Amino acid sequence: MASIVLETVYKSFAHDRQQLSNEADRQQASAHDHHQVPVLRNINLTIEDGEFMVLVGASGCGKSTLLRLIAGLESVTAGNIWMGDRRLNDLPPKDRNIAMVFQNYALYPHMRVYDNLAFGLRRAGVAASESGTSLRWVDAFLTSITRPLPKGWRYWSAQERAIDQRVRTVAKMLQIDDLLQRFPRQLSGGQKQRVALGRAMARNPAVFLMDEPLSNLDAQLRTETRAQIVNLQRQLGITTIYVTHDQVEAMTMGDRIAVMHAGQIQQVAHPLELYNHPANQYVAGFIGSPPMNFLPVQVTTATTIAHYGVTLTLPDHWQPAIASYIGSTVTLGVRPEHWQVGRATANALKVQVQRVEALGSETFLTVVLVDTPGAEASRLQVRLHPDATVNEGDILGLTVAPERIHLFDPATGLAICA
């Protein structure tokens, strides 16, 4: 087991000038053979020993690149990566004691499940025997040439017996012990994913890296496999870094979550901390489904904000935080479930229902502001109890309790905290 520390990590990729689509980039690169495009910037992150850390963010934010840097599949442009007290920057992937599970499973199609699970163990055994005795070499040779024979006719070295025991233990743990003689083409998506997990587990690595391993599964199987991965990780206690763009996976799996955007970490926290106390507007809008609603509001006094005549009075403890914004506009954030729905009154946001989505367990409304400039662009999401009776075209009033609001600086996007 081991901790992972990312210390001021940067990563840039070189692009040929001719491949740059933006004219300004081509001009900037004109004096050079290549143009360096930054992908990761100033990444500082510590993953504790035995922790399940989730990297989450939209496609293209750099999360998979960060995983590949840790695995050694890409080189670091600047900064350091540590595993315990070992600096990983210059270590080849095979020497890092890290196992990676890929999105596309990456199983060997010509090998049965058993041999896919045993592959990494045999590679490690061959590497260990290269400087060993000739007897070990003979063991490896006899094991290799008799492996295709029926089980009773094979030569079983001590190493191969240990590999067999490890493979069967892992297969039983993942409930794939009845699939060991099948080829990958004979497996379902969920079975392939468990084989890929098993191959990583069989090596007993210090760190697991998982790059969107559930994205190819259907919704039900994804839910089942998600729970299985979490249970296995807790059982094994292996430090795990899991990449996903699915915030539901992130919220339900991670001990902590690192939210990434545009190559930078926006916030690292426990799931409910991210949900209840987002560090900035990006995190607030990314975490939560449907996402948080945002509206521009005017700070009229040190304890009041207003949106086109609808005023909300804040508790006194907000005074120090918003006093410097008096007369300015800030961004109000309200989660869909925190709206209180009633009649359209003078002290409520007047909205019209555009769409009703009744899901059985809950009902979602898409509404637009009425009698407000730019209302068509100000669509809001509202979550209601499933028994609520609302129809498209209804006029409603929305209010929110002061303790449920979030305020953000419009220039920096940072949260304004009371």
Side-chain angles (χ1 to χ4, degrees):
M1 312 306 169
S3 62
I4 294 288
V5 177
L6 305 170
E7 187 178 77
T8 321
V9 170
Y10 287 79
K11 176 61 180 177
S12 298
F13 287 107
H15 287 257
D16 290 340
R17 179 179 178 273
Q18 290 78 5
Q19 294 176 340
L20 297 175
S21 59
N22 183 279
E23 180 60 32
D25 286 343
R26 287 198 295 269
Q27 291 177 1
Q28 184 179 352
S30 60
H32 307 280
D33 292 333
H34 294 87
H35 177 70
Q36 292 293 324
V37 178
V39 177
L40 296 171
R41 293 174 288 165
N42 196 31
I43 300 294
N44 290 282
L45 179 65
T46 298
I47 299 99
E48 302 294 344
D49 186 9
E51 184 176 22
F52 197 121
M53 172 66 74
V54 176
L55 305 180
V56 67
S59 297
C61 70
K63 54 190 185 298
S64 292
T65 299
L66 184 56
L67 211 65
R68 292 174 65 83
L69 292 180
I70 298 170
L73 303 178
E74 302 282 355
S75 58
V76 174
T77 301
N80 295 304
I81 301 176
W82 300 86
M83 178 191 290
D85 58 357
R86 286 198 310 159
R87 184 173 177 269
L88 300 183
N89 293 42
D90 301 320
L91 282 180
K94 67 183 180 66
D95 294 334
R96 298 194 181 197
N97 195 19
I98 291 173
M100 189 164 179
V101 179
F102 295 91
Q103 179 178 353
N104 62 355
Y105 317 130
L107 301 179
Y108 297 104
H110 64 289
M111 293 184 181
R112 298 182 189 273
V113 168
Y114 182 98
D115 293 314
N116 267 282
L117 295 177
F119 182 81
L121 299 173
R122 287 174 179 149
R123 284 286 301 271
V126 170
S129 67
E130 286 174 355
S131 59
T133 64
S134 59
L135 182 59
R136 287 179 181 172
W137 184 89
V138 170
D139 273 349
F141 175 73
L142 291 175
T143 298
S144 176
I145 64 172
T146 62
R147 190 176 297 138
L149 299 177
K151 187 173 181 180
W153 294 5
R154 297 177 197 166
Y155 177 81
W156 290 81
S157 66
Q159 175 181 295
E160 192 66 19
R161 287 195 298 271
I163 289 174
D164 180 73
Q165 182 178 3
R166 179 65 179 163
V167 165
R168 295 185 184 279
T169 298
V170 169
K172 186 174 182 180
M173 189 180 301
L174 289 170
Q175 300 177 3
I176 55 173
D177 43 330
D178 59 337
L179 306 176
L180 292 177
Q181 295 309 309
R182 294 190 188 181
F183 288 99
R185 65 178 179 273
Q186 299 171 312
L187 304 178
S188 68
Q191 290 169 336
K192 289 177 182 177
Q193 188 56 71
R194 279 183 284 166
V195 174
L197 287 169
R199 185 174 59 187
M201 288 171 52
R203 292 175 48 196
N204 195 26
V207 175
F208 278 145
L209 304 179
M210 300 187 184
D211 190 4
E212 304 205 42
L214 308 183
S215 61
N216 293 328
L217 306 183
D218 61 59
Q220 181 178 349
L221 192 55
R222 191 160 59 240
T223 300
E224 294 172 359
T225 310
R226 186 168 71 213
Q228 191 173 46
I229 289 174
V230 172
N231 291 336
L232 283 170
Q233 193 274 338
R234 289 175 179 168
Q235 181 181 344
L236 299 172
I238 295 178
T239 305
T240 300
I241 307 174
Y242 186 102
V243 161
T244 182
H245 66 275
D246 187 331
Q247 57 159 304
V248 174
E249 283 184 19
M251 294 289 287
T252 56
M253 298 180 76
D255 295 324
R256 287 190 301 155
I257 301 171
V259 181
M260 296 187 65
H261 175 59
Q264 294 182 301
I265 292 178
Q266 304 294 308
Q267 186 175 2
V268 182
H270 298 285
L272 289 181
E273 177 73 13
L274 286 177
Y275 191 82
N276 294 320
H277 304 287
N280 57 44
Q281 190 172 337
Y282 178 82
V283 175
F286 188 84
I287 299 295
S289 181
M292 184 180 287
N293 300 286
F294 299 109
L295 279 174
V297 293
Q298 188 83 7
V299 180
T300 52
T301 74
T303 55
T304 57
I305 55 176
H307 182 81
Y308 293 102
V310 179
T311 300
L312 179 65
T313 301
L314 305 179
D316 289 342
H317 63 261
W318 275 95
Q319 287 190 27
I322 67 172
S324 62
Y325 291 93
I326 294 175
S328 302
T329 298
V330 298
T331 302
L332 169 69
V334 180
R335 294 211 176 272
E337 63 271 24
H338 294 157
W339 288 119
Q340 299 166 358
V341 179
R343 292 184 302 170
T345 64
N347 206 33
L349 291 174
K350 188 178 179 181
V351 298
Q352 183 175 33
V353 178
Q354 275 198 337
R355 187 177 179 189
V356 179
E357 297 175 275
L359 304 182
S361 60
E362 54 195 355
T363 297
F364 293 110
L365 306 181
T366 301
V367 303
V368 292
L369 295 170
V370 177
D371 301 331
T372 302
E376 191 62 28
S378 299
R379 285 184 172 83
L380 305 176
Q381 299 289 320
V382 181
R383 176 185 275 137
L384 296 179
H385 190 274
D387 296 333
T389 303
V390 181
N391 299 306
E392 292 182 6
D394 286 354
I395 302 296
L396 305 173
L398 299 183
T399 58
V400 61
E403 62 270 17
R404 294 296 196 179
I405 71 164
H406 301 265
L407 295 178
F408 302 95
D409 186 294
T412 65
L414 295 176
I416 302 171
C417 300

